[in-house]
């Protein structure tokens, strides 16, 4: 039926989440149309995706890559129009024919398109956690003035959503009043990353190529580094706070090396319900795409229940996690500062320009030297994010290179 047809744009189609989303959509048959796909630099893959999915628009956000694509293929490929940058991103996030926007760009630049999608009442399937950490309150207040919905793709938050709905509760984003007397604690799991058993001396020698080898998940480079420092889990604690709005003391993380249990919800009657699946992002992505139904048929391996282990997160060993928890308590613009300083530090680390152990030191340094303020406008958030990035780069140049 025409009403069931979803028309989807994927922001960051060439990334790990973007590719998995397209795999899921292909496997779900013909109730989905692709309206827009975007990439930053990977124009070779974007071209293949255009041929396979025939979107109305394909957007390239890196100027040199856009120009190279146009030289090679022209401004239209079959019936797909090729556009550049913000303007193109805005079209695929807001066009009246789009029902669903998958936000799978890494980092803060995803914010413009997500706000545009909110303004135009779209269903936003959000993988990107950086914008919730940096501008969560503003995003929530924009959501309250629109008919848009945000559904989490991040496996732990998608698991929390599934547990909450399976327990007879409703999904009411950020509704402290609704959740506080129904849910005692939210617990998300962390694999512990590739360096969980390393000591301080081992960590001093770590370089980028070691940090991007994740033991259980196959992800983009930035989130892989964040997983290794446990910043990813810190960002996810803040993400859970934005989505479900319990007190931060009631949102915790636990190390579970096998990545088979993704989250637990503890209820006041003493019941604890967990969500399990093999570590395959297609599972949470498919749930968000077909929400609230389950239509996806996983081609994954048999689920084995062997050796499920749990360990406490030691904050001394994972200073990035400690910093994120501190920020979750402080609130205001501290999430923005943490995120911007982390994005820049990880960028430098991925280029092997700073040491692995510099990452938490730089972030702490920037948090200590930045002003903690409340933002009352989108422009001030954008401005503050720019300032913190510049400050972090300057600090790295003067102190860490
Ligand atoms: P990838 O690095 O694999 O992909 C990132 C995507 O964003 C690519 O399409 C990339 O284009 C595009 N992109 C990169 N920089 C920019 C920019 N400045 N402007 C516009 N587009 C840009 O990342 P992942 O797919 O791993 O992660 C995406 C988001 O999802 C992150 O926020 C991450 O935290 C979150 N997430 C990821 C999970 C995973 O399993 N991968 C799990 C949970 C959350 P190009 O390829 O052309 O460079
Ligand atoms: Mg996650």
């Amino acid at each position: 039926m025409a009403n069931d047809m979803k028309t989807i744009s994927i922001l960051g189609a060439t990334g790990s989440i973007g590719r998995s989303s397209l795999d899921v959509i292909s496997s779900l048959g013909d109730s989905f149309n692709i309206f827009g796909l975007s990439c930053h630099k990977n124009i070779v893959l974007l071209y293949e995706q255009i041929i396979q999915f025939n979107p109305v628009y394909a957007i390239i956000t890196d100027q040199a890559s856009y120009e190279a694509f146009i030289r090679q293929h022209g401004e239209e490929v079959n019936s797909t129009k090729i556009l550049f940058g913000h303007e193109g991103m805005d079209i695929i996030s807001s066009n009246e024919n789009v029902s669903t926007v998958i936000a799978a760009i890494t980092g803060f630049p995803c914010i413009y398109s997500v706000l545009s999608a909110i303004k135009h009442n779209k269903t936003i399937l959000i993988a990107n956690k950086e914008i919730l950490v940096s501008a969560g309150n503003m995003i929530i207040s924009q959501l309250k003035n629109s008919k848009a919905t945000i559904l989490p793709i991040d496996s732990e938050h998608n698991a929390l959503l599934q547990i909450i709905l399976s327990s007879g509760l409703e999904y009411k984003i950020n509704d402290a009043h609704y959740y506080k007397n129904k849910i005692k604690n939210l617990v998300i799991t962390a694999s512990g990353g590739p360096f969980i058993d390393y000591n301080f001396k081992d960590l001093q020698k770590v370089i980028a190529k070691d940090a991007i080898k994740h033991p259980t998940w196959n992800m983009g480079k930035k989130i892989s580094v964040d997983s290794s420092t446990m910043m990813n889990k810190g960002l996810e604690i803040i993400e859970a706070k934005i989505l479900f709005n319990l007190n931060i003391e009631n949102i915790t993380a636990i190390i579970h090396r096998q990545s088979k249990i993704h989250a637990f919800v503890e209820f006041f009657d003493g019941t604890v319900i967990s969500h399990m699946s093999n570590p395959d992002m297609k599972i949470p992505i498919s749930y968000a795409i077909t929400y609230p139904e389950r239509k996806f048929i996983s081609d994954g391996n048999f689920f084995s229940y062997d050796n499920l282990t749990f360990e406490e997160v030691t904050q001394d060993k994972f200073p990035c996690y400690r910093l994120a928890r501190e920020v979750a308590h402080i609130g205001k613009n501290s999430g923005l500062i943490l995120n911007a300083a982390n994005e820049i530090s990880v960028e430098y680390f991925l280029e092997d320009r700073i040491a692995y152990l510099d990452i938490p030191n730089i972030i702490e340094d920037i948090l200590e030297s930045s002003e903690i303020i409340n933002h009352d406008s989108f422009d001030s958030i954008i401005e503050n994010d720019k300032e913190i990035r510049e400050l972090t780069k300057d600090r790295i140049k003067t102190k860490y290179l």
Side-chain angles (χ1 to χ4, degrees):
M1 267 173 54
N3 282 350
D4 291 338
M5 181 68 83
K6 285 185 182 167
T7 302
I8 301 184
S9 288
I10 306 181
L11 320 174
T14 47
S16 157
I17 294 288
R19 294 191 311 268
S20 295
S21 301
L22 285 169
D23 286 347
V24 168
I25 291 167
S26 302
S27 82
L28 284 170
D30 49 12
S31 29
F32 300 92
N33 274 328
I34 300 291
F35 184 84
L37 297 175
S38 90
C39 85
H40 193 50
K41 291 185 175 174
N42 191 348
I43 51 176
V44 173
L45 180 57
L46 184 74
Y47 181 76
E48 287 171 20
Q49 293 178 339
I50 292 170
I51 300 300
Q52 190 180 348
F53 293 97
N54 197 24
V56 182
Y57 292 100
I59 317 301
I60 302 162
T61 48
D62 175 69
Q63 177 128 22
S65 307
Y66 168 75
E67 285 163 9
F69 189 100
I70 299 293
R71 271 197 306 278
Q72 209 177 340
H73 305 291
E75 288 177 1
E76 261 185 61
V77 176
N78 300 333
S79 58
T80 303
K81 292 181 190 58
I82 315 301
L83 299 178
F84 169 67
H86 269 316
E87 211 178 307
M89 294 303 286
D90 202 48
I91 292 175
I92 67 169
S93 313
S94 67
N95 187 281
E96 58 181 2
N97 295 315
V98 174
S99 62
T100 307
V101 173
I102 301 184
I105 286 174
T106 301
F108 191 75
C110 199
I111 197 157
Y112 302 94
S113 310
V114 166
L115 286 178
S116 172
I118 293 175
K119 209 163 145 197
H120 291 86
N121 306 317
K122 306 303 179 197
T123 298
I124 300 143
L125 314 185
I126 195 159
N128 179 301
K129 58 199 86 181
E130 292 92 342
I131 62 169
L132 293 174
V133 170
S134 306
N137 290 335
M138 195 259 298
I139 289 172
I140 294 296
S141 78
Q142 297 288 321
L143 265 182
K144 285 181 182 154
N145 295 324
S146 91
K147 294 196 181 80
T149 318
I150 284 188
L151 296 171
I153 282 182
D154 206 352
S155 55
E156 299 77 4
H157 307 74
N158 189 280
L160 289 171
L161 174 62
Q162 293 195 38
I163 300 169
I164 285 169
L165 293 177
S166 311
S167 308
L169 302 183
E170 291 172 52
Y171 176 42
K172 295 188 179 223
I173 194 165
N174 192 256
D175 192 336
H177 182 71
Y178 180 72
Y179 288 120
K180 265 181 192 157
N181 57 12
K182 295 184 175 62
I183 294 175
K184 192 173 169 197
N185 288 309
L186 300 177
V187 182
I188 58 175
T189 61
S191 71
F195 310 134
I196 178 82
D197 294 319
Y198 280 35
N199 59 32
F200 183 74
K201 226 171 132 205
D202 299 331
L203 288 175
Q204 282 177 313
K205 293 186 222 139
V206 161
I207 56 168
K209 78 172 176 23
D210 309 317
I212 58 180
K213 276 187 234 137
H214 196 274
T216 50
W217 297 97
N218 187 2
M219 311 182 283
K221 288 180 185 170
K222 190 266 179 182
I223 185 176
S224 297
V225 175
D226 285 350
S227 296
S228 78
T229 60
M230 205 71 107
M231 178 57 92
N232 185 49
K233 219 40 59 180
L235 300 179
E236 289 184 355
I237 293 280
I238 303 171
E239 181 183 6
K241 167 79 186 155
I242 295 294
L243 294 175
F244 304 107
N245 209 357
L246 291 197
N247 288 332
I248 202 70
E249 295 76 17
N250 302 112
I251 306 175
T252 51
I254 186 168
I255 292 178
H256 166 55
R257 296 183 185 224
Q258 301 77 26
S259 302
K260 288 192 175 175
I261 297 186
H262 306 292
F264 301 87
V265 176
E266 297 177 12
F267 294 92
F268 285 102
D269 69 354
T271 302
V272 181
I273 301 185
S274 69
H275 173 282
M276 298 187 183
S277 73
N278 280 326
D280 177 356
M281 283 308 294
K282 284 193 250 167
I283 299 170
I285 291 170
S286 70
Y287 182 72
I289 290 178
T290 64
Y291 170 89
E293 294 176 62
R294 290 178 205 281
K295 293 188 179 167
F296 178 62
I297 298 177
S298 169
D299 56 4
N301 297 331
F302 177 74
F303 187 87
S304 106
Y305 296 84
D306 295 356
N307 303 323
L308 303 180
T309 60
F310 304 97
E311 298 153 61
E312 206 186 317
V313 183
T314 40
Q315 299 202 12
D316 294 349
K317 186 158 183 185
F318 295 108
C320 286
Y321 180 73
R322 170 180 58 78
L323 291 170
R325 284 209 74 94
E326 283 168 17
V327 154
H329 277 282
I330 299 166
K332 298 189 176 173
N333 66 337
S334 63
L336 180 152
I337 300 167
L338 174 94
N339 180 67
N342 182 57
E343 283 191 30
I344 297 296
S345 303
V346 171
E347 218 173 276
Y348 275 72
F349 171 69
L350 281 170
E351 291 166 2
D352 287 324
R353 295 169 71 190
I354 58 167
Y356 183 71
L357 291 173
D358 286 339
I359 297 173
N361 294 337
I362 295 166
I363 299 166
E364 189 154 25
D365 193 343
I366 298 300
L367 275 165
E368 279 166 6
S369 38
S370 305
E371 200 188 352
I372 302 297
I373 48 168
N374 263 322
H375 287 299
D376 54 9
S377 73
F378 177 58
D379 289 349
S380 68
I381 290 175
I382 299 295
E383 197 45 46
N384 197 194
D385 177 74
K386 273 194 197 134
E387 278 165 18
I388 301 297
R389 280 163 203 269
E390 286 313 311
L391 177 67
T392 311
K393 285 181 194 164
D394 286 348
R395 193 64 52 88
I396 289 174
K397 274 176 205 144
T398 52
K399 219 168 140 183
Y400 297 90
L401 285 187

